[in-house]
Amino acid sequence: DTIKWKEEYSVGITHIDQDHKKLINLLNQFTVAYDHAMSETFEKQALEELVNYTVYHFKREEKLLQEHDYPDFIAHKAQHQEIIKQVNEFVTLYDEKGHDAMKEISEFLTAWLINHINGTDKEYSQYLNEHGVH
Protein backbone atom coordinates (compact mmCIF):
# COMPACT_ATOMS: atom_id res chain seq x y z
CA ASP A 1 0.00 0.00 0.00
CA THR A 2 2.41 2.66 -1.12
CA ILE A 3 1.39 6.30 -1.36
CA LYS A 4 1.54 7.97 -4.75
CA TRP A 5 2.20 11.71 -5.01
CA LYS A 6 -0.83 13.59 -6.34
CA GLU A 7 -0.86 17.16 -7.58
CA GLU A 8 -3.56 17.92 -5.02
CA TYR A 9 -0.90 17.41 -2.32
CA SER A 10 1.06 20.38 -3.62
CA VAL A 11 1.28 23.33 -1.25
CA GLY A 12 2.48 25.58 -4.06
CA ILE A 13 6.02 25.92 -2.66
CA THR A 14 8.57 23.93 -4.66
CA HIS A 15 11.05 22.92 -1.96
CA ILE A 16 8.29 22.03 0.53
CA ASP A 17 6.64 19.84 -2.13
CA GLN A 18 10.04 18.20 -2.73
CA ASP A 19 10.38 17.54 1.02
CA HIS A 20 6.91 16.00 1.07
CA LYS A 21 7.73 13.80 -1.94
CA LYS A 22 10.88 12.62 -0.15
CA LEU A 23 8.86 11.90 3.02
CA ILE A 24 6.40 9.86 0.95
CA ASN A 25 9.29 7.92 -0.61
CA LEU A 26 10.80 7.22 2.82
CA LEU A 27 7.42 6.16 4.17
CA ASN A 28 6.94 3.86 1.18
CA GLN A 29 10.38 2.36 1.82
CA PHE A 30 9.35 1.72 5.41
CA THR A 31 6.04 0.14 4.33
CA VAL A 32 7.81 -2.08 1.80
CA ALA A 33 10.22 -3.21 4.53
CA TYR A 34 7.20 -4.21 6.60
CA ASP A 35 5.24 -5.84 3.76
CA HIS A 36 8.19 -7.98 2.71
CA ALA A 37 9.30 -8.76 6.26
CA MET A 38 12.82 -7.62 5.52
CA SER A 39 15.55 -7.85 8.13
CA GLU A 40 15.16 -5.85 11.32
CA THR A 41 18.30 -3.94 10.37
CA PHE A 42 16.64 -2.74 7.16
CA GLU A 43 13.37 -1.95 8.96
CA LYS A 44 15.18 0.00 11.67
CA GLN A 45 17.22 1.91 9.10
CA ALA A 46 14.08 2.79 7.10
CA LEU A 47 12.40 4.02 10.29
CA GLU A 48 15.42 6.09 11.34
CA GLU A 49 15.73 7.70 7.91
CA LEU A 50 12.06 8.62 8.00
CA VAL A 51 12.33 10.07 11.52
CA ASN A 52 15.50 12.03 10.72
CA TYR A 53 14.07 13.48 7.52
CA THR A 54 10.82 14.40 9.29
CA VAL A 55 12.81 16.40 11.88
CA TYR A 56 14.84 18.05 9.11
CA HIS A 57 11.69 18.92 7.14
CA PHE A 58 9.97 20.41 10.19
CA LYS A 59 12.98 22.64 10.90
CA ARG A 60 13.02 23.88 7.29
CA GLU A 61 9.28 24.52 7.36
CA GLU A 62 9.45 26.34 10.71
CA LYS A 63 12.31 28.53 9.51
CA LEU A 64 10.31 29.52 6.44
CA LEU A 65 7.18 30.27 8.49
CA GLN A 66 9.17 32.31 11.01
CA GLU A 67 10.96 34.32 8.31
CA HIS A 68 7.59 35.39 6.90
CA ASP A 69 5.88 36.05 10.26
CA TYR A 70 3.25 33.36 9.70
CA PRO A 71 0.48 34.27 12.17
CA ASP A 72 -0.22 30.65 13.20
CA PHE A 73 3.47 29.75 13.63
CA ILE A 74 3.30 28.79 17.32
CA ALA A 75 0.40 26.36 16.78
CA HIS A 76 2.05 24.86 13.70
CA LYS A 77 5.32 24.32 15.55
CA ALA A 78 3.43 22.77 18.48
CA GLN A 79 1.89 20.25 16.07
CA HIS A 80 5.36 19.39 14.80
CA GLN A 81 6.60 18.85 18.36
CA GLU A 82 3.65 16.59 19.10
CA ILE A 83 4.35 14.50 15.99
CA ILE A 84 8.06 14.20 16.86
CA LYS A 85 7.08 13.04 20.35
CA GLN A 86 4.74 10.39 18.91
CA VAL A 87 7.31 9.28 16.34
CA ASN A 88 9.95 8.90 19.05
CA GLU A 89 7.49 6.77 21.03
CA PHE A 90 7.12 4.58 17.95
CA VAL A 91 10.91 4.20 17.72
CA THR A 92 10.87 3.02 21.35
CA LEU A 93 7.98 0.67 20.54
CA TYR A 94 9.95 -0.72 17.60
CA ASP A 95 12.98 -1.22 19.85
CA GLU A 96 10.76 -3.22 22.20
CA LYS A 97 8.59 -5.19 19.76
CA GLY A 98 10.58 -5.17 16.52
CA HIS A 99 8.69 -6.25 13.40
CA ASP A 100 5.41 -6.63 15.34
CA ALA A 101 5.28 -2.85 15.81
CA MET A 102 5.69 -2.04 12.11
CA LYS A 103 2.03 -2.21 11.03
CA GLU A 104 0.88 0.19 13.74
CA ILE A 105 3.74 2.60 13.00
CA SER A 106 3.17 2.46 9.24
CA GLU A 107 -0.58 3.11 9.54
CA PHE A 108 -0.07 6.04 11.90
CA LEU A 109 2.64 7.66 9.77
CA THR A 110 0.68 7.23 6.54
CA ALA A 111 -2.43 8.87 8.02
CA TRP A 112 -0.34 11.58 9.65
CA LEU A 113 1.63 12.45 6.52
CA ILE A 114 -1.42 12.89 4.29
CA ASN A 115 -3.23 14.89 6.99
CA HIS A 116 -0.15 17.03 7.54
CA ILE A 117 0.22 17.84 3.85
CA ASN A 118 -3.48 18.32 3.09
CA GLY A 119 -4.32 19.93 6.41
CA THR A 120 -1.89 22.11 8.33
CA ASP A 121 0.49 22.69 5.43
CA LYS A 122 -2.30 23.79 3.08
CA GLU A 123 -3.22 26.39 5.70
CA TYR A 124 0.07 28.25 5.31
CA SER A 125 0.53 27.85 1.55
CA GLN A 126 -1.75 30.72 0.51
CA TYR A 127 -0.20 33.01 3.12
CA LEU A 128 3.35 32.24 1.94
CA ASN A 129 2.38 32.47 -1.74
CA GLU A 130 0.98 35.95 -1.05
CA HIS A 131 4.36 36.81 0.53
CA GLY A 132 6.25 35.79 -2.60
CA VAL A 133 7.21 32.22 -1.63
CA HIS A 134 6.67 29.67 -4.41
Side-chain angles (χ1 to χ4, degrees), residues 28-43:
N28 286 339
Q29 216 174 295
F30 181 71
T31 305
V32 166
Y34 169 72
D35 289 345
H36 297 287
M38 294 182 173
S39 72
E40 285 205 1
T41 309
F42 185 85
E43 289 177 349

Side-chain angles (χ1 to χ4, degrees), residues 5 7 9-17 121-122 125 128-129 133-134:
W5 175 261
E7 270 318 299
Y9 295 160
S10 174
V11 295
I13 299 160
T14 307
H15 73 277
I16 297 290
D17 284 347
D121 285 1
K122 287 280 176 88
S125 61
L128 288 178
N129 288 164
V133 182
H134 298 283

